[in-house]
Every structure is written in C-alpha cells, then in structure tokens.
Amino acid sequence: MSKKHLLSVASISIEDFEKAKKGNDYMGDVFVIFKVVTNVQDFDNALRYGLRTSGVWHRYSEFDLLYQYLLHTYPSHIIPPLPEKKLSTSLWTKMTVDKFDGEYLEHRKIGLEKFLHRVASHPTLHDDNIFKAFLMKGEDWKEVADSTEFRAKNEGFLRGVAASYQLKHCDPRFSELRTYADELETRINAVLKVTQNVAAKQRLAYNSYKELAKTFSDWSTIEKSLCIPLQKIGHHLDNLEGAGNVLLLEEDVKFYENMREFANYAYSLKDFIRKYELLQYKIEVLEGTIEAKKAGLFLLGKPEAGEDVVAVEGGKNNLTKMFRATPQQKEARRSKLHQELSEAEEALGPAQNDLEQFIAEAEVEIKRWKQDKFSSLKDALRMYAKLQLQHSQQGAQCWEQSGLPSNLPVSNLWNFIKLKTFFKSLNDTLVVLLNISHSHE
C-alpha cells in the first residue's frame, strides 16, 4: 500500500457524547455513548483498506474491549493506553465524581480520541480488521471480536502463573525498559502534581484580578487627572483575568492531557514487559521440570532405589501402612517420569521459538515507540512554552495599552516584558535542546 496508516486516508474523531439507557425506566442501566466519526478523504486508498465514511456510537466498555483485544492479539507491541476510567484531576477545576458531568466527559472524549489516533497511526495495529470494524460498525463489531477467541490465547498458561514470580535470567534490555517505565511514571506524575498545584495558585490569582480591577476603577472616581489611565488599568486587569483562565483551559487540553497520556503509557510499557517476563518464565518452568524429571529418573536407576518406602492408607482404622516399593511400582513411576519429561522437552522448543520471535518483534516496536514518544513529548513541551509565551505577551499588551502617562512608574510593565523575554528564551532553548536530543536518539 502506498499509504502508511489510516489517518493518511481518513480523519477519525469523537464528535459528540450523550446518555443512553438499556432496560426499563426503573431498573435500566444508564451509561454514556460516544460518537466515533470516520471521514474518508482518500477514496482510492480507503477502498484498499476496506474503509468507508461512518458514524457509530460506542460506550467506554467497548473501547476497553478493543484495548483488551489488541493487548492479547499483539503481545509484542506496545498498545496505546486508554484514558483511565475515573478521572480525578484537571488543571481547570477539581473534577466531580459525577460520571455524567460535562467537563469530565469532555476530558474522556479527548483521551478516547487520542487512543484511536494512536492505534490508527500505528504501522501494524492500524490495519487490523477488528479495529476497522470498531470504526464502522455499531454493537455488531463485538461479535466479530469475540469470534477471534482472543481471551483464550494465553489463559491456559497464565492461569497457572502466580501473581508474583521471580525470573532467574532476564534480558538486560527489558530490565532497563522496566526501570525506565517505573521512572517515567514517577517523573511525569510529579510533573502533573506540581503543574496542578501551580495552576491552582494561578487560578486564584487570575480570579483576584477582577477584585483588583474594581479597586482601580473605584480609585479613578476621585482622580481627575488619572481617571482615564486608572479606568484603563481596571479594564485591562479584567482582560488579564479572562486571558489567564483561557490559558489554563488551553494548558489542560494541550499540555496536561498529553502528560497524563504518557503517565498511562508507563502502564502500557509494564504490560508489554510482563509479556516478555511470562514467556521467559514459561521457559524457566519447563527447564526446571526437565531437570527435576531427569533427577528423578537418575534416582530410580540407583541400586538403593529398591529400598524406597511407599505409604498407603487403609486398614481397619484407616491407618497408614508402610511397605517397600515393588518393581512394578518402580516401573510405573519411571514410565510416568519419562512421559512428563518428554512432554516438557516437546514444549520447550516452541516456547523458546515464541520468545525469540517476541524479542525480534519487540526490538522493532521499542525503537518505533521511542521515536514516537520523542516527537510527541517535543510537541507537548514546545506547546507549553508557546502558551506561556503567548500569555506573557498578552499581559504585556494589557499594560502597554493601559494609557499610563510616561512619567509614572511602570514596574509591572517591566516585569511583564522580562517575563516575555524569559519565556521566549525558554522556547528557543527547548527547540535547541530537543533538536540536539533528536540527533542523539
């Protein structure tokens, strides 16, 4: 195909959300559905993909089903994260616990749309038939997904794996990636926490500008010569309050949400690494089984093995009777050990092949993810610097347009100009550093 991914032939967006109900008026299940709209732009390549313009409604649980399907079907790929089911923080305001709150749903819509864009731009995931069915079908797509029996693919082995396990040997590349995932989660969550604290203080300051504006306006009533400049200061402080709150809204959508996504990516990385660990653990279990069965056969072959004591239950009072192993019992044990040894050895080869294939595909996926992460974080940091720069410029303009006489002290204006210069320098520095980082990536 001449095109790299679905987003090059069609736009994918979540355009609306609304409440829906399943069941009767009294006992029905009330939930929210999101309208996923696909608009084909390149019809020739869209036909090759089997893609068409469509608008379908899905609830959050269906997005989660798609995520689980991708997670099980593509074990050697880093699956883009879904937004968390319960959103608890925002720069703009404290989130309500009401899952039908409009602001809460707007944040969820942004996160779900970003998830779809990540999948649609992935070199492998974008062409998955189940994903395309999700984009073009209503609830029918779930039947198509369930027909793949994706949940059963790894359940047999996973059912016997303890929640906590220790590997004897671990590929250092995956050990380093796990360390990075842990640190990424810690660092970005720290950025989110501090950014939220800063935004809360800024919000209080911006809201105080209205009160400050009123004090200047009140003062203007007793000053004939300074009446107009004082009124203009009050007017522009009002404007500054509005601009500050707009900044927080933009930071929330364009920066904070991006950082939150990469905090969630840390969990996706851990899921990805756990798949490697489980494949490696499976091999170690099989190797341990083979070693134990061989040791058992060795002991059975020793002359003193005939002196083994076997305990059975029976007798009048169900007491334990002791007697020495018979040749028939020894042969039965030997036969069983041979069978178990053969089964373990037969399973070891395919398990090793699975691990080798996983590592080969994972190396390509990790490289792709690092490049994508670099590009996304670079854009987010540049956007952050740009927003701060725009805000400092707006602040400076408010004072520049206030009409203050030239002989009045304008320390606030000077502070804004310094702030403007600082953020311009920050933006330029970020561009340089990010370009340098890219050259060493």
Side-chain angles (χ1 to χ4, degrees):
M1 279 187 192
S2 60
K3 298 293 182 179
K4 293 182 179 180
H5 51 69
L6 288 188
L7 288 182
S8 61
V9 302
S11 65
I12 299 172
S13 61
I14 298 180
E15 294 192 354
D16 199 6
F17 52 80
E18 62 182 40
K19 285 185 183 180
K21 191 169 187 177
K22 194 172 185 179
N24 59 51
D25 293 338
Y26 299 101
M27 301 296 291
D29 178 22
V30 180
F31 50 89
V32 176
I33 52 177
F34 298 86
K35 188 176 183 180
V36 180
V37 176
T38 304
N39 283 314
V40 171
Q41 298 164 342
D42 183 342
F43 290 93
D44 291 338
N45 282 288
L47 286 174
R48 298 178 189 176
Y49 278 113
L51 198 65
R52 67 176 186 274
T53 295
S54 60
V56 293
W57 293 87
H58 294 299
R59 58 190 298 185
Y60 180 87
S61 60
E62 294 180 69
F63 284 87
D64 185 59
L65 177 62
L66 174 62
Y67 174 79
Q68 294 299 327
Y69 162 78
L70 295 172
L71 195 66
H72 285 77
T73 307
Y74 299 94
S76 59
H77 292 74
I78 300 171
I79 307 303
L82 275 176
E84 56 267 46
K85 190 166 186 178
K86 291 185 178 180
L87 187 61
S88 57
T89 59
S90 166
L91 288 187
W92 178 239
T93 185
K94 290 184 178 179
M95 281 296 178
T96 175
V97 295
D98 181 8
K99 66 179 181 179
F100 300 118
D101 176 75
E103 185 183 345
Y104 166 81
L105 293 174
E106 189 64 35
H107 278 79
R108 170 161 288 184
K109 186 188 84 167
I110 293 170
L112 292 175
E113 184 175 278
K114 191 177 291 289
F115 165 72
L116 293 179
H117 286 176
R118 294 286 188 191
V119 176
S121 60
H122 191 284
T124 301
L125 306 181
H126 80 279
D127 202 24
D128 182 88
N129 289 330
I130 302 301
F131 174 57
K132 288 184 285 188
F134 178 88
L135 295 177
M136 294 183 291
K137 295 178 179 288
E139 290 191 0
D140 294 344
W141 84 276
K142 291 190 291 186
E143 297 178 4
V144 182
D146 289 335
S147 68
T148 64
E149 298 182 347
F150 66 90
R151 294 183 182 89
K153 290 185 177 180
N154 296 315
E155 282 186 355
F157 173 67
L158 294 179
R159 198 176 292 118
V161 177
S164 177
Y165 54 87
Q166 186 69 39
L167 294 180
K168 296 178 181 178
H169 308 286
C170 185
D171 190 312
R173 292 170 294 184
F174 290 94
S175 297
E176 291 173 4
L177 191 60
R178 174 171 280 283
T179 299
Y180 173 76
D182 290 336
E183 292 182 351
L184 178 68
E185 180 185 1
T186 300
R187 300 293 189 272
I188 292 187
N189 281 332
V191 169
L192 291 173
K193 181 178 179 180
V194 175
T195 303
Q196 188 185 19
N197 291 338
V198 170
K201 294 175 182 178
Q202 286 178 321
R203 187 167 57 250
L204 288 174
Y206 296 146
N207 292 338
S208 297
Y209 284 158
K210 273 190 175 298
E211 184 178 353
L212 183 58
K214 185 178 182 302
T215 61
F216 275 102
S217 297
D218 291 344
W219 182 15
S220 70
T221 61
I222 65 170
E223 299 288 353
K224 292 182 180 180
S225 60
L226 293 176
C227 178
I228 293 177
L230 289 172
Q231 286 179 348
K232 285 188 175 182
I233 290 176
H235 171 70
H236 289 294
L237 281 171
D238 273 335
N239 290 342
L240 193 59
E241 182 266 343
N245 284 324
V246 168
L247 170 70
L248 289 180
L249 277 173
E250 289 186 316
E251 276 189 22
D252 203 1
V253 173
K254 297 178 180 179
F255 176 72
Y256 196 78
E257 285 295 328
N258 285 329
M259 292 299 100
R260 195 201 304 275
E261 182 196 21
F262 275 94
N264 291 334
Y265 250 122
Y267 299 110
S268 293
L269 277 176
K270 291 177 183 180
D271 283 337
F272 172 74
I273 296 163
R274 186 170 187 268
K275 294 169 191 173
Y276 158 77
E277 292 174 343
L278 290 174
L279 289 172
Q280 176 64 29
Y281 182 70
K282 183 176 183 179
I283 290 174
E284 293 181 4
V285 169
L286 289 171
E287 289 175 338
T289 299
I290 291 171
E291 184 178 348
K293 301 309 174 186
K294 286 182 176 179
L297 288 170
F298 174 77
L299 290 175
L300 278 176
K302 296 174 69 175
E304 60 271 24
E307 303 301 319
D308 288 350
V309 176
V310 178
V312 299
E313 293 197 351
K316 183 176 180 181
N317 297 315
N318 200 32
L319 299 175
T320 299
K321 293 183 178 180
M322 310 295 291
F323 63 90
R324 300 190 184 283
T326 65
Q328 293 82 358
Q329 289 172 329
K330 286 181 61 178
E331 185 58 34
R333 289 169 62 191
R334 183 180 290 106
S335 177
K336 183 178 180 182
L337 285 172
H338 273 299
Q339 181 181 352
E340 292 171 343
L341 175 62
S342 177
E343 290 173 353
E345 289 176 334
E346 288 179 6
L348 181 60
Q352 291 172 331
N353 291 337
D354 288 344
L355 180 61
E356 290 174 3
Q357 182 181 353
F358 177 91
I359 291 176
E361 294 175 356
E363 285 181 334
V364 176
E365 176 67 3
I366 291 170
K367 182 178 179 181
R368 179 207 65 80
W369 182 80
K370 286 182 177 180
Q371 292 173 342
D372 187 57
K373 177 206 69 174
F374 174 83
S375 177
S376 298
L377 286 177
K378 178 177 67 174
D379 290 343
L381 292 173
R382 280 179 172 170
M383 178 56 67
Y384 183 72
K386 183 178 179 181
L387 288 172
Q388 301 302 323
L389 179 60
Q390 287 176 347
H391 183 58
S392 67
Q393 290 172 337
Q394 289 172 343
Q397 288 170 3
C398 283
W399 289 104
E400 289 168 352
Q401 297 170 6
S402 65
L404 287 171
S406 58
N407 61 340
L408 285 180
V410 286
S411 57
N412 283 326
L413 173 59
W414 174 240
N415 287 335
F416 271 112
I417 292 174
K418 288 194 294 183
L419 191 62
K420 174 181 176 181
T421 303
F422 166 75
F423 280 114
K424 179 66 169 64
S425 174
L426 173 62
N427 182 65
D428 293 342
T429 303
L430 277 172
V431 171
V432 173
L433 290 177
L434 290 169
N435 288 334
I436 292 174
S437 300
H438 183 61
S439 65
H440 289 82
E441 186 71 18

